[in-house]
Amino acid sequence: MKENKNKYSATVLLPKTDFPMRAGLPKKEPVLLKFWQDMELYKKMMAKASGKEKFILADGPPYANGRIHMGHALNKVLKDIVNKSHALMGYYTPYVPGWDCHGLPIEQALIKEMKIDKKEIKDIPAFRKKARAFAQNFVNLQREGFKRLGITGDWDNPYLTMSNVYEGLTVGAFFEALEKGYVYKGKKAIYWCPNCETALADAETEYHDKTSTSIYLRFKIKEAKEGLFGGIDSSKDVYLAVWTTTPWTIPANMAAAVNFDEDYRIMKLNDGGYIIAADKLADAFAKECGFSAEAFGKVKGENLVGVKYEHPLNHKLNPVIHTDFVTMDAGVGIVHIAPGHGEEDFYAGLKWNIDAFCPVDEKGVFTKDAGEFEGQSIFKANPLIIEKLKEIGSLIKQADISHSYPHCWRCKKPIIFRATEQWFLGVDKFDLRNRLVKEIEQTKWFPPSGENRIKSMVQLRPDWCLSRQRFWGVPLMVFYCKKCGKVQINHDLFEHVKARAMKEGSDFWFEQEAKDILPAGYKCECGGEEFTKEKDILDVWFDSGVSWEEVLKYRGLGFPAEVYLEGSDQHRGWFQTSLIAGTVLEGKAPFKNVITHGMILDQQGRAMHKSAGNSVEPDDITEKFGADILRLWVSFTDYSDDVRLSSEILEGPVDSYRKIRNTVRYALGNLSDYNPAEHKVAGKDMTELDQYMLKRLDDLIKNVRDDYKNFRFRKAARAITDFCILDLSSLMLDASKDRLYTLGAASPARRSAQTALFEIVTSLLRLLAPILCFTCEEAWQEVKKLPCGKDLEESIFLSDMPEGASFVTSAEVENKWNKIREIRSSVLKALEEARQKGLIGAPLEAKIIFNSSDKQTKDFLKKTLPLWPEVAIVSQAEVAEAEGKDKLEVEVLHAAGHKCPRCWQWKEDIGSNGKYADLCGRCAKVLEEEKVNVDVAA
């Protein structure tokens, strides 16, 4: 065994702790997860807070079709910080995680796996059974992924949109909206994905740049009032100019629209005919197409209304109408109207009693109504239609343009507008739109900009298309009378069907005939006794939009929730559908506060995608660094904006974590022999430094609690980190080493420091636990092993976050120590300069001499002089008698005397005690009082 060269080492009270410097989080965190699981932590947290004020964060359901990604991790960690912070602040915080289990991605994955087409699915119940198993598999995988991140919740009882109860509640919510008159069936031009073969909600679309072929073409006027075009050559044909970026919609053209108030110019084409375009756009149009813009006459838009032109492909006569969406910012001022393929066009058709002709099937293929283009895919038919228009002389010019175009957010392919019969929820029924806006205004939004964002979306949104032409979802449980065709709206019928769905789920709708589902003896008002069933399913956004029915109402947690927290894309998704459903069914929004976070970007600010090779996976972080590093990164982000992530960016949280951990470790090490029952020092009897530190702790507690309550996690995390590094580590622990190590176990100054440290470290752990849940639990368990921790709760999450420090010193003491800290920074700078010059090695080799030209500062230095050796960690300090030149001067000299081998301070009284001839007088006195036999101790 190596001999200890310093025989006094064993007499120094060095820190002792089993809390390791190296965290080893990837291995340690799973052990802590098992500890929580074995003790049933969540149940105990709920039992502890039972009867207290509720704080319910309602979980927005992730989609069950893959492993968790960083977007999931950001979202769930933010939610967990909210829940854990409020639990520690004394609230009852049940958290019911959920999953969105129905929908297109699962259906498509199965179709691909089975190598079949949608139309080949004959056994729908069997297909749905496979879909259910597919979703359940990913629910299980994601659940384990979230638990690994330290997310606490009722994982054994989540809500699943495919569960029997949930499906029954969803069916009931639809029935209620239908009974109240908000839901109707009608034909409209809606977003349609030809690839997915289904209608899409507004929230299921996204815009990307697309190159399309735009065309200028002409419609020959066949019927017009005599003299309408003035004195032009009546033997020549007159045409309407039209411009479109969707040539495939020309077969569906049913009208041409003009602006009622604008002037239209008549120009002469190179072939001798005349063409009409808006006067304001005529010059640009003529230049683009290569003919003279000379005006041969003008006509008012209002006078063009009623003119009939010949459709160039089917030769039918179509009317000229006027609409308010014909603008003068592009094109020719005359709009080709296809009510079957455009929302504005559809409403124009309704107004002018024009049929929503739609010669396109669900796959985006022309039907026989499209004539010679039957069987052609619409996008592939573009060049064929253009060629036909050219052949018959209707094409003026074609050109490629790049423009923003709607795409399906699932398959990422271009979508179309297609007029079909669907079920809708009318957002203007019963003044609903204005009521939604009022609910938005009464909700608190974080960040505040979210309010205007969702408000503008709601003010402009169309009716909600509720029906989907798929198999995996909650069926629209609607019956039609075969005799009169009427939809059966009957409360008793609805209750009968809902009760069965609550018990069995919704599969029976696909397994049985209508007669087997209807109540015995049920008849239509017309007397009809035979019925058919609706074949469509509900939009999955309706599924998730009524999650509050299950989580808040059915489970009895109370409506509305305190918080909804999701990504900013949910302003047009879950926030909006939940708002609509809540307002329709309950008369108000299902939330009081809405928090939104941004998207995850890489270090260069690009969106993360596996295909781009720039994604960072949660598993990679937890396996390399541990989940607490990921959680700390989340807390440091400005989550209200898009956040960046990379290995380099994680270096910051890793470094901060290391400093926090080492500070906690050092504090724990100095509590190994502290027992509050025997050693606690009253606040009034503590040293001023310890009193000051408790005041700093009191400020920290109050600020962090306020930050947690207002979801300012970044501010809270920074404040805690700064306290650890700047207050606890750099000031108190550094300045207290001498009294903690060398003054003797029972020294009042040492016990004062330990009393303060115990309160600080246990408070700090509880403040930090919502963020660093694993590390704080690990440290808490270490404290529990010590005499000072024997009465602590079983888990840190069964404790309470402090509301303030146990003792708050006077403003006089606080101001005094704030000034000491200000001066100390100058002292530390001077010591470092002296070290670099070789004047001293360690600070304890130094003697500092203060001076000041300011009397008040000099008096302060004299008054606080006894504190400075401890505060500056030097051996000697004095204030010069001569008049200073600057407000603060710090001179560093090498300390006088010799180095004490026990306390390492340089003293001039070495050997003053003959029994300990090599020690300073203070150390010799300590050993005498402690009755330490140095030879035995060594």
Side-chain angles (χ1 to χ4, degrees), residues 476-748:
L476 276 157
M477 295 188 176
V478 173
F479 295 95
Y480 302 91
C481 175
K482 282 188 177 180
K483 183 178 179 182
C484 69
K486 188 177 180 181
V487 174
Q488 300 301 292
I489 300 177
N490 179 291
H491 182 75
D492 292 337
L493 170 63
F494 289 166
E495 287 298 305
H496 170 81
V497 175
K498 176 187 174 182
R500 186 168 178 189
M502 291 279 288
K503 184 179 179 181
E504 303 175 30
S506 62
D507 285 348
F508 69 85
W509 190 259
F510 300 96
E511 295 168 345
Q512 296 181 336
E513 298 296 326
K515 61 183 176 60
D516 300 318
I517 301 172
L518 287 160
Y522 180 83
K523 294 182 181 180
C524 178
E525 291 177 350
C526 74
E529 298 181 9
E530 293 187 333
F531 302 87
T532 58
K533 298 180 299 179
E534 174 63 72
K535 295 180 180 179
D536 289 351
I537 63 169
L538 271 169
D539 175 19
V540 292
W541 286 102
F542 190 87
D543 284 23
S544 60
V546 297
S547 61
W548 48 265
E549 279 274 18
E550 216 250 64
V551 177
L552 303 180
K553 298 194 69 185
Y554 183 77
R555 299 196 186 208
L557 297 183
F559 180 95
E562 196 69 31
V563 171
Y564 271 34
L565 190 164
E566 301 298 331
S568 55
D569 57 336
Q570 296 308 316
H571 285 116
R572 65 197 293 257
W574 190 58
F575 295 153
Q576 199 174 138
T577 57
S578 299
L579 169 68
I580 294 171
T583 307
V584 165
L585 302 176
E586 294 296 316
K588 60 182 177 180
F591 41 68
K592 298 177 185 177
N593 302 277
V594 175
I595 306 170
T596 56
H597 60 79
M599 302 295 108
I600 304 278
L601 308 176
D602 68 10
Q603 194 168 3
Q604 283 72 44
R606 301 170 302 184
M608 279 193 179
H609 294 293
K610 283 187 178 180
S611 58
N614 66 342
S615 64
V616 178
E617 301 304 319
D619 286 351
D620 296 337
I621 296 175
T622 55
E623 289 172 11
K624 183 177 180 181
F625 300 109
D628 264 358
I629 299 301
L630 188 152
R631 294 175 68 97
L632 188 59
W633 166 76
V634 169
S635 72
F636 280 159
T637 63
D638 176 7
Y639 67 81
S640 65
D641 202 352
D642 290 342
V643 294
R644 300 189 181 197
L645 178 62
S646 67
S647 297
E648 291 78 10
I649 288 172
L650 281 175
E651 289 174 5
V654 167
D655 184 58
S656 295
Y657 175 84
R658 189 179 297 116
K659 290 174 180 176
I660 293 169
R661 185 180 183 88
N662 287 342
T663 301
V664 171
R665 179 176 183 271
Y666 187 74
L668 293 179
N670 283 288
L671 294 172
S672 60
D673 67 338
Y674 174 68
N675 186 341
E678 300 174 20
H679 307 136
K680 184 176 181 179
V681 176
K684 63 183 178 59
D685 298 324
M686 287 181 173
T687 68
E688 278 193 355
L689 173 56
D690 297 333
Q691 290 181 353
Y692 174 74
M693 285 302 299
L694 288 185
K695 178 60 174 71
R696 295 290 295 164
L697 176 67
D698 188 70
D699 291 342
L700 178 72
I701 290 169
K702 288 179 169 58
N703 289 334
V704 168
R705 285 177 67 96
D706 187 61
D707 289 334
Y708 279 139
K709 285 181 178 179
N710 290 283
F711 318 117
R712 298 187 297 257
F713 312 131
R714 186 185 195 186
K715 193 175 178 184
R718 286 294 176 195
I720 297 169
T721 304
D722 288 347
F723 181 87
C724 278
I725 298 169
L726 303 177
D727 291 88
L728 188 53
S729 179
S730 297
L731 177 61
M732 184 186 180
L733 293 177
D734 262 5
S736 301
K737 282 180 181 177
D738 182 59
R739 57 178 167 145
L740 285 167
Y741 294 1
T742 69
L743 290 191
S747 162

Side-chain angles (χ1 to χ4, degrees), residues 36 39-49 152-154 156-157 798:
W36 289 331
M39 69 175 287
E40 296 186 315
L41 175 61
Y42 177 75
K43 286 184 180 179
K44 289 183 177 181
M45 288 173 67
M46 295 305 102
K48 173 181 176 287
T152 301
D154 195 356
D156 294 333
N157 299 290
L798 298 176

Side-chain angles (χ1 to χ4, degrees), residues 41-59:
L41 175 61
Y42 177 75
K43 286 184 180 179
K44 289 183 177 181
M45 288 173 67
M46 295 305 102
K48 173 181 176 287
S50 179
K52 294 186 178 180
E53 184 179 349
K54 290 180 181 178
F55 183 95
I56 311 298
L57 184 153
D59 190 35

